[in-house]
Amino acid sequence: MTFEDRKGRGRYSSRSDRLFTGLTLVMVVAILFLAGLMVLQLLVASIPAMQALGWHFLVGMDWDPVHEHFGALPFIYGTLASSLLALILAAPLGIGVAIFLAELAPPWFRAPVSFMVELLAAIPSVVYGVWGLFVMAPWLRNMVQPWLSEHLGFLPFFQGPGFGVGILAAGLILAIMVVPTITAVSRDVLMAVPNHQREAMLALGATKWETTWKAVIPYGRSGIVGAIILALGRALGETMAATMVIGNSLDISISLFAPANTMASIIANSYAEATYGLHAAALIEIALILFVITLILNIVARLLVRRVAIGPVRMEA
Amino acid sequence: MALGMEIQNLRAWYGKVKALQDINLTVVPGAVTAIIGPSGCGKSTFIRCLNRLHEVVRGARASGQVWLGDLNIYGRGVDPVLVRRRIGMVFQKPNPFPAMSIFDNVAAGLHLDGVPRQEIYGRVEMALRLAGLWDEVRDRLQVSGANLSGGQQQRLCLARALALEPEVLLLDEPCSALDPASTMHIEAVLRDLKGRYTVVIVTHNMQQASRVADYTAFFLTGEVVEYGSTEDIFTRPRDERTENYITGRFG
Ligand SMILES: Nc1ncnc2c1ncn2[C@@H]1O[C@H](COP(=O)(O)OP(=O)(O)OP(=O)(O)O)[C@@H](O)[C@H]1O
Ligand SMILES: [Mg+2]
């Protein structure tokens, strides 16, 4: 093959390369443009609400479309309470399964279990909602809540009548829904921990358990925190399942038995009635807040997860 | 403190692949023994069999007897975790724990061993002094071990192993990732340890073997070809293959 030949082919392939690069670049720009446009439009559309309501929107507890009183605190509270409850339940479970998968399970067992856990993430959320409403909520009402109020009823979290639906139900459903996220991301983080870290700890006379706790998890700590934040983002934004089991009340109560409402569920429940200006603008402002919060959480989480993959150790002098 | 090791009929496998054939070797107490040989001949496998770290690799196993004093570490009911507390190891690549401070890196093994709190500081200082790192880090014991240079990190790993006052210290090519100055530093520490610690060092560098080792074993394809005093191995090898290797006519 002569030099000319190669040059010719090179030119040809570099042209198609450029075309390909250009095409993909257009797509990337389009996506970014769409996302930017969405933020912008949400912002513009919620300006009437911001002007009319100001900070009252964030701290007000009254939500009365008829009299145009819009305080979104009950939804903000419901969202945070159900999501935090979900994380408290899901994080230990998800991390535990991840440790099992990454450190203990033999490879032939790891693949099917990983597959099944990830399958949980593929179930449509309305299915979780239906199951939560017709199976879990009655079980909570008849079995769990009576037990909790009898044994832990002195705590403010477990007081009042148990209806089944409420923050507890929403937190449980959300927990089940975010466990796959925590498990999958933490497992990848733990598996990215270099083997020399395990061997260093083992060589000091650590058991398998001590090695996991003192070498592997500390090394992957920021990535695991990232997994939890990613799950928090999912839980905050989850709409259908939470809406179906949270009970849709406009009150704020410290009790986990109480029905509540989330930011996503108030939008889902009332967008059809929001026909006039301020009501619609108020819903859009809630959407904007939710969007910005989940965006920030996702960015932070991904940065944390990436740090482990790259590795915090500086090896060369 | 220094105990010798007696290796008898040691064989090791990775799955079905046999990496060590039938090793018989005496590690003299208080002396430095070098393991040399071409890449892939089983040096790392051998040294990892001496603290039962070989078996943590999935599918890996070993058979035979390895005596530490009068304990056969492959004997029935012997806990490998306790064996590893008595036999320290330094790896090829410096591997400090990045989430721990310099101090905690050295103290890690002491915590595992249940050393009482009030003794820990003294033992950490002793180990860092022994590893020749104390003067460089005494003012910053609380910073992360990952903030040190490569050579310092390797001496930190040496200190981490020495803090447990092991009866035997194993080093697998400890200087292969280091610059000449750091290498000299580690070698000086090893010469210091003579008499007090039994040291087994794997090295690719024959000058290093002749500088630090009292005894040298030459490995080839999972077997010990020749073993003797370092001087004999390097000046009057008995086996032709040894001679070919040390004169560089070979792998
Ligand atoms: N984890 C492993 N799985 C399978 N085979 C392995 C593994 N580690 C080593 N081996 C094989 O065992 C043999 C001995 O390897 P070992 O690492 O002990 O050699 P070495 O002498 O230390 O080489 P080097 O000088 O390159 O470090 C080699 O043939 C190698 O391919
Ligand atoms: Mg090796």
Side-chain angles (χ1 to χ4, degrees), chain A residues 164-185:
Chain A
V165 295
I167 295 180
L168 183 63
L172 268 172
I173 280 283
L174 290 175
I176 298 170
M177 294 178 76
V178 300
V179 158
T181 304
I182 297 180
T183 299
V185 178

Side-chain angles (χ1 to χ4, degrees), chain B residues 165-185:
Chain B
E165 295 173 0
E167 281 142 331
V168 179
L169 182 66
L170 309 173
L171 305 108
D172 189 356
E173 298 188 48
C175 302
S176 66
L178 306 186
D179 63 297
S182 303
T183 302
M184 289 304 148
H185 216 133

Side-chain angles (χ1 to χ4, degrees), chain B residues 40-117:
Chain B
C41 68
K43 306 181 295 295
S44 297
T45 307
F46 171 71
I47 202 170
R48 289 164 60 91
C49 283
L50 300 189
N51 66 344
R52 293 195 59 177
L53 201 61
H54 174 64
E55 66 207 44
V56 307
V57 175
R58 205 175 282 285
R61 65 196 175 85
S63 77
Q65 300 178 349
V66 174
W67 295 89
L68 172 66
D70 54 10
L71 173 77
N72 173 16
I73 65 170
Y74 281 93
R76 252 172 195 285
V78 174
D79 184 355
V81 167
L82 299 178
V83 168
R84 293 182 201 128
R85 287 196 198 156
R86 298 177 59 186
I87 302 179
M89 188 169 220
V90 175
F91 297 81
Q92 182 166 356
K93 210 172 144 195
N95 55 359
F97 302 121
M100 292 185 196
S101 67
I102 291 173
F103 185 92
D104 288 340
N105 262 279
V106 182
L110 301 175
H111 288 304
L112 293 172
D113 208 24
V115 172
R117 230 162 226 297

Side-chain angles (χ1 to χ4, degrees), chain A residues 104-107 110 196-197 199-207 210 214-215 218-219 221 312-317, chain B residues 48 53 56 58 81 84-85 87 89 91 93-100 108-109 112 146-150 153 160 164:
Chain A
L104 305 171
R110 185 185 300 155
H196 62 67
Q197 289 288 310
E199 295 196 338
M201 197 50 99
L202 286 171
L204 290 173
T207 61
E210 288 165 332
K214 297 186 173 196
Y219 192 99
R221 187 161 46 207
V313 196
R314 197 179 52 133
M315 271 306 167
E316 261 63 50
Chain B
R48 289 164 60 91
L53 201 61
V56 307
R58 205 175 282 285
V81 167
R84 293 182 201 128
R85 287 196 198 156
I87 302 179
M89 188 169 220
F91 297 81
K93 210 172 144 195
N95 55 359
F97 302 121
M100 292 185 196
L112 293 172
N147 287 340
L148 297 171
S149 76
Q153 286 187 16
R160 182 173 68 187
L164 279 165

